[in-house]
Amino acid sequence: MTLLPPGSTIGILGGGQLGRMLASAAAELGYRTHVLAPDAESVAAQTASSFTRADYHSRIVLDEMAELCDVVTYEFENIAIDPVAYLASKVPVHPAPAALEIAQDRASEKAFIDTIGGRTAPWRRVTSIAELQAALTVIGAPAILKTLRLGYDGKGQVRIADAGEAEAAWEAIGQQPAILEGFVTFSHEFSIILARGHDGSMVSYPPPWNQHKDGILALSTLPAPAEIAGQWAVAAALTGRIADALGYVGILTCEFFATVDGPVFNEMAPRVHNSGHWTIEGAVASQFENHIRAICGLPLGDSALTAPAVEMENLIGNDVDRCAEILAEPGAHLHLYGKANARPGRKMGHVTRLKRL
Ligand code: AMP
């Protein structure tokens, strides 16, 4: 593809903090951004050049967006395929809708990873209580039942300690199509964040150690401990194979469990990722900048660390009350997402700390 010149307009589907940070990175490179989201409160709209508040399914709105934008991207993976595919028939859309389709369905995602030589937890697709019980006899307990679609931050999933809990688990996820996954014994969780350009060039970031609290990412730290560092190459190679197989353009994130037998793939996100927010100050070129570079046909930027150690802490709910304290810390960079209400569990901002070892 030809390079998209500065001054061009990048369309962003989705109005959250990822769109907000993408729009800021685009502005730094001289691009305009146009956000489409249905939300009354769009924090991406606050940093974008223009905003349309509308449903994703309106053809009139999508036609306007295709007219206005030179390239379109999206900031969340649960967007319906139909509007994305419609836009893709009129204007370049990156990452391509095929990546979204795979990432939106846990069974397609696991099957895809199995075909390209990645390791996943043992899994079975289940659509009824009988299938769940049969799957439990094969996979054993403990296990995790996850809805096929629309799960995130630990939502839409339930642990099954023994086979007697099958019915309660099936009720708990609303009797929806799901996968049953064997429980993985791991020492750490980490992610590979990789950018792939139109020409197939790739850069990936050093992997952060990701620690969760109540199913939500709490902390990403680098450099990662030895248990992760030793699995970096294998996990990054798999992420690269995924990106190549999909002809992917943009940032792709894969989450892994570090186990004694090597990295086990958990899930992928066809977008910039919370575990990559540290890259804004902690890497030479951030994940947001590299996503913009990739979709605009620019050369990819350097993913090296800018400090010996980096930590990203999510500010969830009333963690934002600590802002004054954080601002007083040397080496700390505070990011607030411009959200009005600090509800429990809501991602309000993050802080990145650049540290000496
Ligand atoms: P997910 O929504 O798939 O990322 O799962 C949320 C969290 O649940 C993960 O970050 C893990 O801490 C845990 N988890 C998910 N799948 C498994 C598994 N198969 N075995 C053990 N823990 C898991």
Side-chain angles (χ1 to χ4, degrees):
M1 103 149 209
T2 50
L3 186 151
L4 213 57
S8 303
T9 300
I10 299 166
I12 300 173
L13 298 166
Q17 64 266 18
L18 300 179
R20 177 186 180 88
M21 291 183 268
L22 278 172
S24 296
E28 295 238 330
L29 289 170
Y31 293 101
R32 299 176 58 78
T33 45
H34 178 76
V35 165
L36 169 61
D39 326 274
E41 185 196 35
S42 166
V43 298
Q46 294 171 5
T47 61
S49 318
S50 56
F51 171 50
T52 299
R53 181 187 173 192
D55 187 90
Y56 295 117
H57 294 272
S58 158
R59 289 284 153 110
I60 295 167
V61 169
L62 294 173
D63 285 342
E64 260 172 27
M65 187 161 190
E67 192 64 34
L68 184 70
C69 300
D70 301 290
V71 64
V72 171
T73 190
Y74 42 86
E75 59 112 54
F76 71 117
E77 69 272 34
N78 288 328
I79 186 161
I81 298 287
D82 189 56
V84 182
Y86 181 72
L87 278 170
S89 70
K90 301 187 160 244
V91 61
V93 174
H94 300 297
L100 260 184
E101 280 182 67
I102 289 180
Q104 284 183 355
D105 181 304
R106 288 189 188 271
S108 316
E109 183 181 68
K110 300 266 192 231
F112 172 63
I113 298 306
D114 292 342
T115 60
I116 61 168
R119 277 192 43 209
T120 60
W123 63 277
R124 287 284 184 288
R125 190 174 188 280
V126 295
T127 58
S128 65
I129 180 68
E131 283 180 11
L132 172 57
Q133 278 156 343
L136 271 167
T137 61
V138 181
I139 287 175
I144 305 191
L145 185 64
K146 300 180 177 179
T147 55
L148 268 193
R149 294 178 165 272
L150 299 177
Y152 69 99
D153 283 349
K155 294 190 176 69
Q157 57 178 270
V158 49
R159 289 186 187 201
I160 301 181
D162 63 73
E165 293 178 8
E167 277 191 38
W170 185 240
E171 293 290 326
I173 63 153
Q175 308 186 343
Q176 299 176 58
I179 61 168
L180 182 73
E181 242 182 69
F183 199 82
V184 178
T185 305
F186 58 85
S187 63
H188 296 81
E189 293 186 71
F190 68 101
S191 49
I192 298 290
I193 296 166
L194 177 141
R196 185 174 183 278
H198 287 267
D199 57 356
S201 58
M202 292 193 255
V203 298
S204 71
Y205 292 90
W209 172 25
N210 300 326
Q211 292 170 264
H212 298 81
K213 198 172 157 227
D214 303 327
I216 303 175
L217 182 68
L219 215 57
S220 291
T221 48
L222 298 109
E227 294 89 337
I228 293 172
Q231 311 201 351
W232 176 0
V234 174
L238 174 66
T239 309
R241 289 206 300 283
I242 296 170
D244 275 338
L246 294 171
Y248 196 93
V249 174
I251 290 278
L252 171 69
T253 305
C254 289
E255 294 184 82
F256 292 92
F257 302 123
T259 77
V260 285
D261 303 318
V264 172
F265 172 96
N266 178 26
E267 61 181 1
M268 67 188 238
R271 55 167 170 80
V272 287
H273 195 259
N274 193 170
S275 66
H277 290 0
W278 61 271
T279 61
I280 298 176
E281 294 88 9
V284 178
S286 76
Q287 61 166 346
F288 302 100
E289 177 177 343
N290 263 328
H291 187 75
I292 299 298
R293 287 184 185 223
I295 67 173
C296 293
L298 306 177
L300 300 176
D302 188 353
S303 59
L305 295 184
T306 57
V310 182
E311 172 190 286
M312 190 286 309
E313 180 194 350
N314 262 344
L315 300 176
I316 315 261
N318 57 15
D319 286 346
V320 284
D321 297 345
R322 287 194 279 116
C323 278
E325 227 173 277
I326 292 165
L327 286 167
E329 275 181 49
H333 295 268
L334 178 67
H335 294 257
L336 295 180
Y337 302 151
K339 296 182 183 176
N341 300 313
R343 288 193 297 272
R346 194 171 196 208
K347 291 175 179 167
M348 301 300 293
H350 72 266
V351 50
T352 298
R353 301 183 172 94
L354 303 186
K355 301 176 170 190
R356 294 185 190 89
L357 279 179

